[in-house]
Amino acid sequence: MSAPLRVGLIGLGVMGRNHARVLSGLDGVDLVGVVDPAGQPDSAPHGALLLETLPDLLALGVDYAVVACPTALHEEVGLALAEAGVGALIEKPLADSVEAAERLVAAFESRGLVAGVGHIERYNPALQSMRTRLEAGELGEVFQVVTRRQGPFPHRISDVGVVKDLATHDIDLTAWVTGQDYVSVCAHTVARSGRPHEDMVAAVGRLSDGSMVNHLVNWLSPLKERTTVVTGLRGCFVADTLTADLTFYANGEVSTEWEVLRTFRGVSEGDMIRYAIPKREPLLVEHERFRDAFLAGGGDIVTLRQGLRTVEVSAAVLESAKLGETVTLKAPEALGAL
């Protein structure tokens, strides 16, 4: 039996502690050290060493590290890991700017290192099932994707606004479940909490297959909601990622002899099915996939290039809101080599 992978963690905030919990029980992995300059000596999770600096962690010898520090530090930490030849699972968003994300992609790719981005919604059971069913053509042609992500303000977030912190979830999952890329976006943002960043965004977009996208995201609501609705030729899928439930609402197939209704070529209400699906913790699945990809040299993870694309789309959302006009995105293949 091979020795466990030696893994480090950078950042011991709310998400960092969740990463530490999962890593401490993950087969084939040994959490050897956690970097958190503000951490207390007695707060080291699960017996791992609590360290003050990244060089302290690198001195222990790690195979890969999980980056869960503030977004503004992702580039600095990521580049240091790449320079040391260490793989990385970087929390979303990949970086706080397109340029920083590009530099991270170049650093890891040029060294042939395994690296990924922690877009955890891809591992939500409801969205996993939805994607499989969309790939199988169960919905037919897709017309529209609508996401709603709202709830109370997360006081742990201080360095980015709602677009980079929350809307990046919806941007990534929309492209992933549909297999399509963003072509254009038009957005409006507001700031009502007194912080320097936006705390509400409404965005409309178009995907490469012509389907429409709508995102409503805020952290100003007492109602916590995480919903993705995909409407297509045969009905719609509704995924609730808080409960990991997936429901299908079918178009009705009951014919009518009422001439007035027959002339209306819309749809009618049909059967509703809530699927019974296995519900494993998304963060655990994310870590299992990354561990396996690291051992195999690549696999089913969110790549840095995919993370870069999400940063590009989020930047376009903010640009659209600033300019008050629709922003057209360059196709990924037209962006040039990094």
Side-chain angles (χ1 to χ4, degrees):
M1 183 175 179
S2 58
L5 294 170
R6 294 175 61 82
V7 178
L9 171 64
I10 298 101
L12 203 52
V14 173
M15 199 62 201
R17 289 193 174 276
N18 281 316
H19 281 295
R21 171 181 55 81
V22 172
L23 285 167
S24 66
L26 187 62
D27 289 340
V29 162
D30 185 10
L31 178 60
V32 298
V34 178
V35 178
D36 192 80
Q40 300 299 317
D42 60 353
S43 66
H46 310 285
L49 288 175
L50 185 62
L51 309 166
E52 289 191 2
T53 69
L54 181 56
D56 293 336
L57 177 66
L58 296 176
L60 295 178
V62 292
D63 297 298
Y64 69 84
V66 177
V67 180
C69 54
T71 304
L73 299 176
H74 285 189
E75 180 186 11
E76 177 186 347
V77 172
L79 292 179
L81 291 172
E83 179 67 26
V86 175
L89 174 59
I90 303 173
E91 259 301 336
K92 66 85 204 159
L94 173 56
D96 62 355
S97 71
V98 173
E99 295 76 18
E102 289 175 339
R103 288 189 287 268
L104 285 169
V105 171
F108 283 94
E109 285 191 351
S110 65
R111 294 169 172 83
L113 297 170
V114 177
V117 186
H119 281 289
I120 194 172
E121 290 285 47
R122 289 204 192 187
Y123 305 100
N124 188 285
L127 294 176
Q128 291 257 327
S129 180
M130 176 191 284
R131 183 172 189 257
T132 299
R133 294 176 185 280
L134 288 173
E135 287 180 329
E138 293 185 19
L139 201 59
E141 181 185 356
V142 171
F143 301 151
Q144 183 184 52
V145 181
V146 176
T147 69
R148 297 191 302 274
R149 185 177 300 271
Q150 54 187 345
F153 174 67
H155 293 282
R156 60 188 174 84
I157 302 299
S158 60
D159 59 335
V160 294
V162 74
V163 171
K164 292 180 180 179
D165 182 61
L166 290 183
T168 46
H169 279 302
D170 297 303
I171 292 167
D172 179 75
L173 74 85
T174 295
W176 177 70
V177 297
T178 61
Q180 303 297 320
D181 188 36
Y182 283 78
V183 173
S184 65
V185 292
C186 180
H188 180 64
T189 61
V190 296
R192 291 289 185 266
S193 64
R195 301 170 66 255
H197 304 289
E198 79 289 343
D199 38 41
M200 177 177 286
V201 60
V204 178
R206 184 164 60 88
L207 301 181
S208 49
D209 64 353
S211 55
M212 176 188 293
V213 171
N214 299 80
H215 299 309
L216 176 62
V217 188
N218 76 73
W219 52 36
L220 296 178
S221 171
L223 167 67
K224 189 169 185 179
E225 184 180 28
R226 303 286 187 270
T227 305
T228 301
V229 181
V230 180
T231 302
L233 184 64
R234 299 190 179 98
C236 72
F237 287 126
V238 179
D240 184 334
T241 53
L242 287 175
T243 61
D245 287 328
L246 178 65
T247 306
F248 174 58
Y249 294 83
N251 291 343
E253 297 181 355
V254 179
S255 61
T256 178
E257 296 181 0
W258 189 0
E259 188 63 30
V260 173
L261 293 182
R262 289 180 64 186
T263 60
F264 174 65
R265 298 183 181 275
V267 300
S268 59
E269 186 176 351
D271 295 331
M272 180 186 74
I273 303 171
R274 185 169 67 85
Y275 298 107
I277 54 179
K279 296 182 179 181
R280 303 185 67 221
E281 182 185 1
L283 188 60
L284 173 59
V285 177
E286 178 180 87
H287 276 287
E288 289 176 343
R289 298 283 177 84
F290 189 82
R291 173 202 62 195
D292 295 346
F294 187 88
L295 291 171
D300 187 15
I301 61 174
V302 185
T303 68
L304 293 194
R305 283 191 173 269
Q306 291 169 343
L308 165 61
R309 186 57 173 174
T310 297
V311 173
E312 290 169 346
V313 177
S314 66
V317 169
L318 291 171
E319 181 183 6
S320 172
K322 180 180 179 180
L323 299 177
E325 59 188 41
T326 298
V327 172
T328 299
L329 289 117
K330 296 180 180 179
E333 58 271 19
L335 295 173
L338 297 174

